[in-house]
Amino acid sequence: MSFMSKVRQFFGVYDQANQIVQNPMPQPLDMAGVRLEQATFSREHILESNEYVFSIVTRLSNVLASLPLHEYQNYKQMDSEPLADLLRTSPNPNMTAFEFIARLETDRNVSGNGYAWIQRSLSTGEPIALWPLDPNTVSILRNTDNNSYWYRVTSDVYNFTIPINDVIHVKHVVPSNSWYGVSPIDVLSSSLKFQRSIEDFSQSEMDKKDKFVLQYDRSISPEKRQSMVNDFLRMVKENGGAVVQEAGWKVDRYESKFEPADLSSVEQISRIRIATAFNVPISFLNDDQAKSTTNVEHVNSQFVTMSLMPIIRQYESQFNMKLFTPGKRVKGFYFSFNVNGLLRGDTAARTQYYQTLTRNGIFKPNEIRELEGQAPIPDEAADHLYISKDLYPLDKYYDAILDNQIQTDANVAAPKQEGGENTNEDELQSTEQEGS
């Protein structure tokens, strides 16, 4: 490191353009050894042409974009904050919050990486807009002076470098020698190519028409022979393949031996491999092996726990790290997705769930109405916690105990009669006297 570079480092100044451009991170390679930017078209083509890949990517992006996202401070919702409105309403003037999250998740599943530039206010430094970036135009660079990482955006319209804290970056699993997520479509390249080959072969077999062998006597003249062939072709065309065999010549039919069951087996294997690569339950692809799964609640729970929660955690970590200042994070600000709606099950299971939480002083009635998308009740009683014993408001129950208005557990077994005497004590005394 030169003397001037050390001076710049001491004062926090870096020759960003020169250092970053000279030290780019190498692009990762896909399964076939082709650089990612060269394989982009094939990925997009697979998304548009393979119904199983399209189904999984659509499901993941739509589910994630549909989840409620809230800003909290120490467990209290802060939905009136500007950042909350940014992620819940419109991250930028051209997109809704649903479109923004769905776009990021689609890019993450297709290219392995989803990027969004954080536009900040020049005066306050607070985020004012979030702009998705085309993954094919983004590369990760490293500054060798201070080992910091940056994002370089290069396209026909833009060419600029962004600090790492100004880019939301969600990705699939990352190899140890790279900062780029691996695309599931690249992992499936061999399987998808095999599936496409089988489908093309099957289609060609189904398109083949039945073949015929005509046998005739050698004594027939060429003119007569051609007339017979023409008559035969006309009969096949006009009668849907039915042929009238006349005397003097013989017809043998060679039928296609294609079996649709062969294609079905290949498709079943492809469904399993695609579901495995995207880490989703095979039942999401309507596989025959999953028809025995009748417990929808169990499938949803498996999907949320094994597939969705790691994705959600990644988004939350990116939002919390790069949208909040360290001071706000210290004060307890954070973003969190609400997945309760995916785990509620059917009506009967949901009713039992809410009843148990209400009767154990965990949920307030208005909190349950909020989870169900209902307006709160303008009644003070709906904002209290209750317990199962007479469904007292929890705070008033403890106040009543302190005021001796409610018997504690020690006195429950000793109710008082109208005369004010404790009958249990009298019975106990009389029993002792009889025993003595």
Side-chain angles (χ1 to χ4, degrees):
M1 183 182 298
S2 65
F3 174 75
M4 289 303 299
S5 297
K6 293 181 180 180
V7 173
R8 292 191 185 96
Q9 182 178 5
F10 178 81
F11 288 100
V13 179
Y14 299 95
D15 189 2
Q16 298 171 354
N18 292 336
Q19 293 293 335
I20 293 174
V21 172
Q22 293 173 5
N23 297 279
M25 289 287 292
Q27 289 276 1
L29 303 180
D30 65 6
M31 296 291 290
V34 181
R35 293 196 176 275
L36 293 184
E37 63 267 24
Q38 300 174 359
T40 300
F41 173 77
S42 62
R43 291 179 188 157
E44 296 176 352
H45 177 70
I46 289 174
L47 175 65
E48 297 170 358
S49 61
N50 189 295
E51 62 272 21
Y52 300 132
V53 174
F54 179 83
S55 173
I56 289 181
V57 173
T58 301
R59 185 185 293 265
L60 288 172
S61 60
N62 285 347
V63 168
L64 192 65
S66 300
L67 292 177
L69 176 61
H70 299 286
E71 180 181 348
Y72 295 88
Q73 183 183 17
N74 298 324
Y75 300 99
K76 180 182 179 182
Q77 285 191 20
M78 308 293 291
D79 292 336
S80 60
E81 293 288 322
L83 270 181
D85 183 70
L86 195 67
L87 284 176
R88 296 182 63 215
T89 307
S90 179
N92 61 68
N94 300 329
M95 304 181 74
T96 64
F98 182 96
E99 293 171 335
F100 173 76
I101 297 294
R103 166 69 181 276
L104 276 183
E105 184 60 15
T106 299
D107 289 344
R108 191 185 74 90
N109 287 297
V110 174
S111 70
N113 301 272
Y115 304 96
W117 170 49
I118 305 172
Q119 181 183 357
R120 300 185 184 274
S121 169
L122 297 178
S123 58
T124 63
E126 292 290 329
I128 58 176
L130 302 173
W131 300 91
L133 299 173
D134 184 355
N136 308 314
T137 66
V138 180
S139 57
I140 303 176
L141 313 173
R142 183 170 64 91
N143 189 325
T144 55
D145 277 353
N146 61 350
N147 203 33
S148 61
Y149 287 87
W150 300 67
Y151 291 89
R152 165 63 56 83
V153 181
T154 305
S155 67
D156 297 336
V157 181
Y158 302 109
N159 190 352
F160 56 93
T161 303
I162 317 173
I164 191 171
N165 285 332
D166 285 344
V167 175
I168 300 294
H169 184 187
V170 289
K171 48 199 167 185
H172 271 273
V173 63
V174 180
S176 59
N177 62 343
S178 175
W179 275 61
Y180 298 89
V182 176
S183 169
I185 294 180
D186 292 343
V187 175
L188 291 166
S189 58
S190 299
S191 299
L192 295 176
K193 182 179 179 181
F194 175 74
Q195 179 189 2
R196 174 58 63 184
S197 300
I198 295 297
E199 290 177 352
D200 292 342
F201 171 77
S202 301
Q203 186 64 45
S204 65
E205 289 295 314
M206 289 187 290
D207 290 341
K208 288 181 178 179
K209 297 181 180 179
D210 291 341
K211 298 180 181 180
F212 299 88
V213 177
L214 301 180
Q215 298 181 8
Y216 53 86
D217 193 274
R218 295 181 60 183
S219 61
I220 298 178
S221 65
E223 293 79 8
K224 180 64 175 178
R225 181 177 59 192
Q226 186 61 45
S227 177
M228 293 173 57
V229 171
N230 292 338
D231 290 341
F232 175 80
L233 294 176
R234 179 180 53 79
M235 283 189 296
V236 172
K237 181 178 180 180
E238 294 178 356
N239 298 291
V243 177
V244 178
Q245 184 170 332
E246 299 180 358
W249 52 294
K250 181 180 179 182
V251 179
D252 291 329
R253 182 193 296 264
Y254 285 87
E255 298 180 357
S256 173
K257 301 300 182 181
F258 173 74
E259 294 290 340
D262 299 336
L263 180 59
S264 177
S265 300
V266 173
E267 288 185 347
Q268 185 176 15
I269 296 174
S270 297
R271 285 194 295 266
I272 295 174
R273 289 179 175 177
I274 293 173
T276 301
F278 282 95
N279 192 29
V280 298
I282 185 62
S283 58
F284 283 7
L285 295 178
N286 299 320
D287 188 81
D288 292 338
Q289 292 183 352
K291 288 183 178 179
S292 59
T293 303
T294 57
N295 192 338
V296 178
E297 185 177 357
H298 173 72
V299 174
N300 285 340
S301 176
Q302 178 187 8
F303 170 63
V304 172
T305 304
M306 305 299 294
S307 305
L308 204 57
M309 285 306 298
I311 301 173
I312 288 175
R313 181 57 180 163
Q314 184 178 176
Y315 276 85
E316 291 175 346
S317 299
Q318 287 285 317
F319 292 157
N320 295 334
M321 173 185 176
K322 297 177 180 180
L323 297 182
F324 289 122
T325 62
K328 275 201 166 184
R329 290 197 295 269
V330 170
K331 292 180 181 179
F333 282 89
Y334 63 94
F335 284 104
S336 180
F337 286 91
N338 188 345
V339 298
N340 290 331
L342 299 177
L343 298 174
R344 290 183 301 184
D346 54 20
T347 303
R350 195 160 67 250
T351 301
Q352 180 65 31
Y353 171 73
Y354 288 149
Q355 185 179 27
T356 301
L357 295 180
T358 301
R359 301 184 73 85
N360 286 276
I362 299 174
F363 272 4
K364 302 174 184 178
N366 271 343
E367 291 176 336
I368 296 177
R369 294 182 63 85
E370 180 181 355
L371 291 175
E372 288 293 312
Q374 302 292 327
I377 300 175
D379 188 344
E380 182 181 356
D383 291 316
H384 287 289
L385 291 173
Y386 292 87
I387 57 175
S388 59
K389 185 177 182 180
D390 297 330
L391 291 181
Y392 261 79
L394 194 58
D395 50 353
K396 294 182 179 181
Y397 177 76
Y398 288 121
D399 292 341
I401 291 179
L402 296 177
D403 295 339
N404 293 323
Q405 295 178 6
I406 297 180
Q407 297 172 347
T408 60
D409 293 341
N411 298 325
V412 168
K416 294 183 179 181
Q417 299 292 334
E418 295 181 358
E421 298 296 331
N422 190 320
T423 57
N424 282 0
E425 292 182 358
D426 294 342
E427 293 176 1
L428 180 61
Q429 291 176 359
S430 62
T431 303
E432 291 177 350
Q433 291 175 358
E434 293 176 359
S436 60

